Amino acid sequence: MRYAVLGTGEVGRTLGGKLVELGHEVTLGSRTADNPVALEWARDAGERAGVGTFAAAASGAEVVVNAVGGRVALTALRDAGAENLAGKVLIDVCNPLAFEDGRLRLSPVESDSVGEQIQRAFPDARVVKALNTVNCRVMVAPHLVPGDHALFLCGQDPDAKELVTALLGEFGWPRGRVIDLGDIEGARAMEMLMPLWIRLFQGFGHAEFNYELRRAR
Ligand SMILES: NC(=O)c1ccc[n+]([C@@H]2O[C@H](COP(=O)([O-])OP(=O)(O)OC[C@H]3O[C@@H](n4cnc5c(N)ncnc54)[C@H](OP(=O)(O)O)[C@@H]3O)[C@@H](O)[C@H]2O)c1
């Protein structure tokens, strides 16, 4: 499969690297075509890895991953181009966090989410919110954390969610540990886990943890 991973940060490079390792073709998207971090990533990742602008990456892809900051996601995706997202599965892993007055804050929150903003702005894209609730190393190596810990996803399109569930399986997440939260409004709940995640991170002093669900039925 041909993937565009929009974002040259730790998350984009980690997801892109794992996808290449799994045999997929990956173009890492950036605001510029010659981003040095992206070029270095592609050199290390091998022949199935490439770099390009957000638009160049998205235009050649079958599946697009949004791995930029939540506060700039709409800007990056507009740069990628609505025509390059139309009809494609768009996996949104971002969190709308930013430092405000010295504290990490989430916005939008409760009455909206970036996942919903993206689906509204690009109605022809098949947005699936996923993976934003774990650290990127855990995203692609769930065995780093012991136990039957869970991932969440949500979105409007059942077939798109099925494709993402299959991809998560390639990453090592058994189907039974992928919890479907329903339509894209579920992104509010997923993004609002961030304040809890950050508190736990501060308490544990590392990012290799996740949530495990227990239920009667
Ligand atoms: N760190 C984790 O383990 C983790 C886990 C779950 C979710 N997340 C979420 O994943 C996302 C990516 O995180 P990250 O730390 O890897 O990367 P990041 O530093 O949040 O984002 C880097 C990307 O954002 C682009 N960017 C920055 N400002 C921009 C603007 N004004 N307009 C358009 N694009 C802009 C950069 O473009 P250039 O390439 O041009 O520089 C770069 O590609 C975030 O939303 C984060 O909350 C992170």
PDB file of all heavy atoms in Angstrom, residues 41-63:
ATOM      1  N   TRP A  41      15.623  10.847   7.314  1.00  0.00           N
ATOM      2  CA  TRP A  41      14.747   9.705   7.615  1.00  0.00           C
ATOM      3  C   TRP A  41      14.667   8.773   6.398  1.00  0.00           C
ATOM      4  O   TRP A  41      14.800   7.554   6.523  1.00  0.00           O
ATOM      5  CB  TRP A  41      13.352  10.200   8.008  1.00  0.00           C
ATOM      6  CG  TRP A  41      12.352   9.092   8.086  1.00  0.00           C
ATOM      7  CD1 TRP A  41      12.111   8.278   9.156  1.00  0.00           C
ATOM      8  CD2 TRP A  41      11.497   8.636   7.023  1.00  0.00           C
ATOM      9  NE1 TRP A  41      11.149   7.343   8.830  1.00  0.00           N
ATOM     10  CE2 TRP A  41      10.754   7.542   7.528  1.00  0.00           C
ATOM     11  CE3 TRP A  41      11.279   9.039   5.704  1.00  0.00           C
ATOM     12  CZ2 TRP A  41       9.820   6.855   6.768  1.00  0.00           C
ATOM     13  CZ3 TRP A  41      10.349   8.355   4.938  1.00  0.00           C
ATOM     14  CH2 TRP A  41       9.626   7.277   5.476  1.00  0.00           C
ATOM     15  N   ALA A  42      14.453   9.375   5.209  1.00  0.00           N
ATOM     16  CA  ALA A  42      14.289   8.564   3.992  1.00  0.00           C
ATOM     17  C   ALA A  42      15.573   7.815   3.657  1.00  0.00           C
ATOM     18  O   ALA A  42      15.532   6.652   3.246  1.00  0.00           O
ATOM     19  CB  ALA A  42      13.862   9.450   2.831  1.00  0.00           C
ATOM     20  N   ARG A  43      16.700   8.479   3.859  1.00  0.00           N
ATOM     21  CA  ARG A  43      17.995   7.815   3.597  1.00  0.00           C
ATOM     22  C   ARG A  43      18.126   6.570   4.465  1.00  0.00           C
ATOM     23  O   ARG A  43      18.492   5.499   3.997  1.00  0.00           O
ATOM     24  CB  ARG A  43      19.144   8.783   3.904  1.00  0.00           C
ATOM     25  CG  ARG A  43      19.908   9.235   2.674  1.00  0.00           C
ATOM     26  CD  ARG A  43      21.198   9.951   3.000  1.00  0.00           C
ATOM     27  NE  ARG A  43      21.209  10.783   4.174  1.00  0.00           N
ATOM     28  CZ  ARG A  43      20.876  12.077   4.191  1.00  0.00           C
ATOM     29  NH1 ARG A  43      20.503  12.679   3.079  1.00  0.00           N
ATOM     30  NH2 ARG A  43      20.914  12.776   5.320  1.00  0.00           N
ATOM     31  N   ASP A  44      17.776   6.719   5.743  1.00  0.00           N
ATOM     32  CA  ASP A  44      17.907   5.602   6.683  1.00  0.00           C
ATOM     33  C   ASP A  44      16.846   4.526   6.446  1.00  0.00           C
ATOM     34  O   ASP A  44      17.093   3.346   6.686  1.00  0.00           O
ATOM     35  CB  ASP A  44      17.784   6.092   8.133  1.00  0.00           C
ATOM     36  CG  ASP A  44      18.965   6.968   8.522  1.00  0.00           C
ATOM     37  OD1 ASP A  44      19.966   6.976   7.783  1.00  0.00           O
ATOM     38  OD2 ASP A  44      18.867   7.672   9.547  1.00  0.00           O
ATOM     39  N   ALA A  45      15.652   4.947   6.014  1.00  0.00           N
ATOM     40  CA  ALA A  45      14.530   3.994   5.931  1.00  0.00           C
ATOM     41  C   ALA A  45      14.617   3.086   4.709  1.00  0.00           C
ATOM     42  O   ALA A  45      14.045   2.001   4.707  1.00  0.00           O
ATOM     43  CB  ALA A  45      13.200   4.754   5.940  1.00  0.00           C
ATOM     44  N   GLY A  46      15.297   3.545   3.650  1.00  0.00           N
ATOM     45  CA  GLY A  46      15.486   2.638   2.508  1.00  0.00           C
ATOM     46  C   GLY A  46      14.677   3.019   1.285  1.00  0.00           C
ATOM     47  O   GLY A  46      14.044   4.066   1.237  1.00  0.00           O
ATOM     48  N   GLU A  47      14.687   2.109   0.317  1.00  0.00           N
ATOM     49  CA  GLU A  47      14.206   2.483  -1.027  1.00  0.00           C
ATOM     50  C   GLU A  47      12.697   2.700  -1.121  1.00  0.00           C
ATOM     51  O   GLU A  47      12.229   3.352  -2.056  1.00  0.00           O
ATOM     52  CB  GLU A  47      14.655   1.437  -2.060  1.00  0.00           C
ATOM     53  CG  GLU A  47      14.152   0.045  -1.760  1.00  0.00           C
ATOM     54  CD  GLU A  47      14.696  -0.976  -2.755  1.00  0.00           C
ATOM     55  OE1 GLU A  47      15.734  -0.684  -3.388  1.00  0.00           O
ATOM     56  OE2 GLU A  47      14.083  -2.047  -2.876  1.00  0.00           O
ATOM     57  N   ARG A  48      11.931   2.145  -0.190  1.00  0.00           N
ATOM     58  CA  ARG A  48      10.479   2.379  -0.253  1.00  0.00           C
ATOM     59  C   ARG A  48      10.077   3.690   0.415  1.00  0.00           C
ATOM     60  O   ARG A  48       8.902   3.999   0.525  1.00  0.00           O
ATOM     61  CB  ARG A  48       9.732   1.200   0.402  1.00  0.00           C
ATOM     62  CG  ARG A  48       9.724  -0.061  -0.446  1.00  0.00           C
ATOM     63  CD  ARG A  48       8.800  -1.126   0.115  1.00  0.00           C
ATOM     64  NE  ARG A  48       9.199  -1.533   1.449  1.00  0.00           N
ATOM     65  CZ  ARG A  48      10.147  -2.425   1.719  1.00  0.00           C
ATOM     66  NH1 ARG A  48      10.774  -3.019   0.742  1.00  0.00           N
ATOM     67  NH2 ARG A  48      10.460  -2.723   2.980  1.00  0.00           N
ATOM     68  N   ALA A  49      11.063   4.466   0.898  1.00  0.00           N
ATOM     69  CA  ALA A  49      10.775   5.716   1.613  1.00  0.00           C
ATOM     70  C   ALA A  49      11.109   6.914   0.747  1.00  0.00           C
ATOM     71  O   ALA A  49      12.138   6.941   0.072  1.00  0.00           O
ATOM     72  CB  ALA A  49      11.612   5.762   2.894  1.00  0.00           C
ATOM     73  N   GLY A  50      10.236   7.920   0.769  1.00  0.00           N
ATOM     74  CA  GLY A  50      10.481   9.148   0.029  1.00  0.00           C
ATOM     75  C   GLY A  50      10.008  10.340   0.831  1.00  0.00           C
ATOM     76  O   GLY A  50       9.393  10.194   1.901  1.00  0.00           O
ATOM     77  N   VAL A  51      10.300  11.516   0.312  1.00  0.00           N
ATOM     78  CA  VAL A  51       9.869  12.745   0.986  1.00  0.00           C
ATOM     79  C   VAL A  51       9.236  13.672  -0.044  1.00  0.00           C
ATOM     80  O   VAL A  51       9.492  13.556  -1.240  1.00  0.00           O
ATOM     81  CB  VAL A  51      11.050  13.468   1.679  1.00  0.00           C
ATOM     82  CG1 VAL A  51      11.740  12.564   2.673  1.00  0.00           C
ATOM     83  CG2 VAL A  51      12.041  13.987   0.658  1.00  0.00           C
ATOM     84  N   GLY A  52       8.436  14.600   0.444  1.00  0.00           N
ATOM     85  CA  GLY A  52       7.814  15.563  -0.451  1.00  0.00           C
ATOM     86  C   GLY A  52       7.014  16.572   0.342  1.00  0.00           C
ATOM     87  O   GLY A  52       6.922  16.476   1.571  1.00  0.00           O
ATOM     88  N   THR A  53       6.440  17.529  -0.360  1.00  0.00           N
ATOM     89  CA  THR A  53       5.546  18.465   0.320  1.00  0.00           C
ATOM     90  C   THR A  53       4.300  17.699   0.768  1.00  0.00           C
ATOM     91  O   THR A  53       4.058  16.572   0.315  1.00  0.00           O
ATOM     92  CB  THR A  53       5.117  19.582  -0.642  1.00  0.00           C
ATOM     93  OG1 THR A  53       4.427  18.962  -1.745  1.00  0.00           O
ATOM     94  CG2 THR A  53       6.302  20.393  -1.140  1.00  0.00           C
ATOM     95  N   PHE A  54       3.510  18.338   1.615  1.00  0.00           N
ATOM     96  CA  PHE A  54       2.262  17.694   2.044  1.00  0.00           C
ATOM     97  C   PHE A  54       1.439  17.290   0.806  1.00  0.00           C
ATOM     98  O   PHE A  54       0.884  16.193   0.743  1.00  0.00           O
ATOM     99  CB  PHE A  54       1.442  18.634   2.929  1.00  0.00           C
ATOM    100  CG  PHE A  54       2.040  18.889   4.290  1.00  0.00           C
ATOM    101  CD1 PHE A  54       2.124  20.184   4.801  1.00  0.00           C
ATOM    102  CD2 PHE A  54       2.505  17.854   5.084  1.00  0.00           C
ATOM    103  CE1 PHE A  54       2.651  20.429   6.071  1.00  0.00           C
ATOM    104  CE2 PHE A  54       3.046  18.069   6.352  1.00  0.00           C
ATOM    105  CZ  PHE A  54       3.117  19.376   6.837  1.00  0.00           C
ATOM    106  N   ALA A  55       1.381  18.190  -0.182  1.00  0.00           N
ATOM    107  CA  ALA A  55       0.565  17.911  -1.378  1.00  0.00           C
ATOM    108  C   ALA A  55       1.151  16.775  -2.209  1.00  0.00           C
ATOM    109  O   ALA A  55       0.417  15.881  -2.659  1.00  0.00           O
ATOM    110  CB  ALA A  55       0.439  19.169  -2.235  1.00  0.00           C
ATOM    111  N   ALA A  56       2.462  16.790  -2.406  1.00  0.00           N
ATOM    112  CA  ALA A  56       3.080  15.729  -3.210  1.00  0.00           C
ATOM    113  C   ALA A  56       2.899  14.377  -2.529  1.00  0.00           C
ATOM    114  O   ALA A  56       2.603  13.365  -3.192  1.00  0.00           O
ATOM    115  CB  ALA A  56       4.567  16.029  -3.413  1.00  0.00           C
ATOM    116  N   ALA A  57       3.068  14.361  -1.216  1.00  0.00           N
ATOM    117  CA  ALA A  57       2.914  13.101  -0.476  1.00  0.00           C
ATOM    118  C   ALA A  57       1.483  12.580  -0.604  1.00  0.00           C
ATOM    119  O   ALA A  57       1.250  11.415  -0.953  1.00  0.00           O
ATOM    120  CB  ALA A  57       3.284  13.307   0.998  1.00  0.00           C
ATOM    121  N   ALA A  58       0.517  13.465  -0.354  1.00  0.00           N
ATOM    122  CA  ALA A  58      -0.887  13.025  -0.350  1.00  0.00           C
ATOM    123  C   ALA A  58      -1.355  12.622  -1.743  1.00  0.00           C
ATOM    124  O   ALA A  58      -2.129  11.670  -1.885  1.00  0.00           O
ATOM    125  CB  ALA A  58      -1.776  14.126   0.216  1.00  0.00           C
ATOM    126  N   SER A  59      -0.867  13.316  -2.759  1.00  0.00           N
ATOM    127  CA  SER A  59      -1.390  13.045  -4.111  1.00  0.00           C
ATOM    128  C   SER A  59      -1.052  11.631  -4.568  1.00  0.00           C
ATOM    129  O   SER A  59      -1.846  10.994  -5.260  1.00  0.00           O
ATOM    130  CB  SER A  59      -0.872  14.073  -5.120  1.00  0.00           C
ATOM    131  OG  SER A  59       0.501  13.874  -5.334  1.00  0.00           O
ATOM    132  N   GLY A  60       0.111  11.121  -4.161  1.00  0.00           N
ATOM    133  CA  GLY A  60       0.510   9.790  -4.624  1.00  0.00           C
ATOM    134  C   GLY A  60       0.049   8.659  -3.721  1.00  0.00           C
ATOM    135  O   GLY A  60       0.330   7.500  -4.009  1.00  0.00           O
ATOM    136  N   ALA A  61      -0.649   8.987  -2.643  1.00  0.00           N
ATOM    137  CA  ALA A  61      -0.938   7.965  -1.624  1.00  0.00           C
ATOM    138  C   ALA A  61      -2.328   7.356  -1.767  1.00  0.00           C
ATOM    139  O   ALA A  61      -3.242   7.984  -2.296  1.00  0.00           O
ATOM    140  CB  ALA A  61      -0.807   8.579  -0.235  1.00  0.00           C
ATOM    141  N   GLU A  62      -2.436   6.130  -1.258  1.00  0.00           N
ATOM    142  CA  GLU A  62      -3.758   5.511  -1.129  1.00  0.00           C
ATOM    143  C   GLU A  62      -4.356   5.798   0.243  1.00  0.00           C
ATOM    144  O   GLU A  62      -5.567   5.904   0.408  1.00  0.00           O
ATOM    145  CB  GLU A  62      -3.641   3.995  -1.314  1.00  0.00           C
ATOM    146  CG  GLU A  62      -3.170   3.582  -2.698  1.00  0.00           C
ATOM    147  CD  GLU A  62      -2.674   2.154  -2.724  1.00  0.00           C
ATOM    148  OE1 GLU A  62      -1.524   1.912  -2.299  1.00  0.00           O
ATOM    149  OE2 GLU A  62      -3.441   1.268  -3.159  1.00  0.00           O
ATOM    150  N   VAL A  63      -3.479   5.898   1.249  1.00  0.00           N
ATOM    151  CA  VAL A  63      -3.904   6.188   2.625  1.00  0.00           C
ATOM    152  C   VAL A  63      -3.030   7.328   3.141  1.00  0.00           C
ATOM    153  O   VAL A  63      -1.824   7.355   2.887  1.00  0.00           O
ATOM    154  CB  VAL A  63      -3.719   4.943   3.536  1.00  0.00           C
ATOM    155  CG1 VAL A  63      -4.054   5.268   4.988  1.00  0.00           C
ATOM    156  CG2 VAL A  63      -4.562   3.785   3.040  1.00  0.00           C
TER     157      VAL A  63
END
